[in-house]
Amino acid sequence: MAEPYVIEFDNVGLRYGQGTEVLKDVSFALPAGSFHFLTGESGAGKTSLLSLLYLARSPTRGSVKLFGKAVQSIARDDLPEVRRKIGVVFQDFRLLDHLSAIDNAALPLRVAGYPEAEIQKRVTELLMWVGLGAHLNARPPTLSGGQKQSVAIARAVINRPQLLLADEPTGNMDDKSAARLMRLFVELNKRGTTVVIATHNEGLIRTFPYPRIHLVNGRLSIYPVGYSPDQAYLKTEADYV
Amino acid sequence: MFKRPSDIPFARDTSAWFLPWMVMLMVFFAGLTTAGTLSLNSMLSRWSRSISGSLTVQVIPIEEDGRINKRKTQQEMEDVLDILRKTAGIASAKALTDSQMKNLLKPWLGESFLLEDLPMPHLIDVQLLPDAEVDLEMLRTLLAQKTPNASLDVHKLWLGKLIKLVRTLDFLASALLSMVIVTTSVIVIYVTCSSLAVHKPVIELLHQTGAHDGYISKQYAQRTALLASVGAIVGFLGVLPIIYLLSSVASEVQGGLLSEARFDAASWGLLCLVPVLAVVLSTLTAYWTVQKTLRRML
């Protein structure tokens, strides 16, 4: 039976070192198969929230549950298995410059120990689909910003993750490419992947009718479809799509 | 088919460049020390085998009016042989012939000398029964009482001093080897930690994509094995001519200890293990260092 919630935050706080909290009393839960936008001003805590979701950090206080398990209680040796269920598109791509596009996109499959023939087949197909068929062996420094982003996205989705997190995934793309990419995310979501996309792109949010999680100074609000942060605050189970 | 590059861009690690040099020096010094230790022990074992079951009795020629009295000297030799043959634990006692004496002196005096011109003591070679417990103190006292010109030379005492010397050298060699091993391990740890710091973002990315620590450690181990192998091969090749040179010089030294210092097949086998062990040590140290360091990361 599928977990009712993929992500559960309960009164979560996060601070770096002795600084002030960048996330304060954050509580929310996202059901499996949901699609949310994560919005907020720069510095509101979007990237910090995402870093808790892809297990790069532990919360300073409160409880984070992923796939029904409290993150703090997951043994270190079991973390890779949890991380393999999560695909991440970083704002700065984080591609490895010394590897080709195909090797970059293949990383999640390689670390999971897939056979090389299957890796080549799956990665080639995906890179061709995202329009990089002519650049399979190109290294990131020779690719444009949009092409790099496509490689980063391919890497995030190649392992068919249960949870997809994207930090400004359309930031370097024209509208046509952004729409094409969003259709990929929607398609993955239809197949059961829970999607959280951090973005500033209001046009995108208007075009694709999904609820938004909004952060203001580290505090979180959830808005249903069609509502924006300047409208009434709502947070009920029925608001989840 | 070309080998896929490592996920970690090791080519940027400038600190790793001197690892092959360090391993080369380690193998060179460890190889020389091992070769020296093996040679000394082989020499000791040959000497021990050949003389531990024997004694020598020397009889000083008896002089009267400034001239050697051959008859009395011969009588004393007979008395000594009689005492020796009656002593429990002695298998045989034979006086060395003139030709045996000449052979013994040849390395020092050359071919052209007359034994009669030299005031040389007469020597009796005594072979002991295997595992015999000969009362050497009683034998020494008896010889002193009945044949005052005879004296007992127990090789065991001399061999004991030699064993002590070789054991001391063994200890020093072990200390030197330990120092070389510790130094190299520390350098491998330092190089690995530096590399982990340089590549922290890449390692975080690998972790994020679901890599186990073992996946990352294996890449470091492979890289270290490659660098260490280069150093180990060069270091080992550097040791070989030196061992050959020293063996040649030692074998030319006649009648001395060094000529007994041989390097047999087993010793060569042990020596070949030095570079292999250096590579294994470096590789395991790198693997262990990465594992320990990654344990501190989320």
Side-chain angles (χ1 to χ4, degrees), chain B residues 157-231:
Chain B
L157 296 174
W158 180 84
L159 190 65
K161 288 175 186 170
L162 189 65
I163 288 172
K164 205 173 168 186
L165 172 72
V166 172
R167 293 287 169 260
T168 308
L169 291 174
D170 275 352
F171 174 76
L172 288 175
S174 304
L176 182 66
L177 272 177
S178 307
M179 226 165 69
V180 168
I181 288 169
V182 169
T183 308
T184 308
S185 302
V186 167
I187 286 165
V188 171
I189 291 170
Y190 166 75
V191 166
T192 307
C193 286
S194 302
S195 177
L196 285 167
V198 168
H199 300 303
K200 194 172 177 222
V202 178
I203 288 159
E204 283 175 348
L205 179 75
L206 289 173
H207 270 155
Q208 191 281 309
T209 53
H212 280 282
D213 291 348
Y215 179 87
I216 298 164
S217 307
K218 199 173 144 194
Q219 299 204 15
Y220 270 93
Q222 284 171 344
R223 166 75 171 171
T224 307
L226 180 73
L227 294 175
S229 297
V230 172

Side-chain angles (χ1 to χ4, degrees), chain A residues 76-77 83-84 88 98, chain B residues 6 208 210 213 294-295 297:
Chain A
R76 198 175 177 285
D77 289 340
R83 285 175 171 141
R84 285 174 196 177
V88 187
H98 68 296
Chain B
S6 164
Q208 191 281 309
D213 291 348
L294 295 185
R295 286 264 145 207
M297 293 172 75

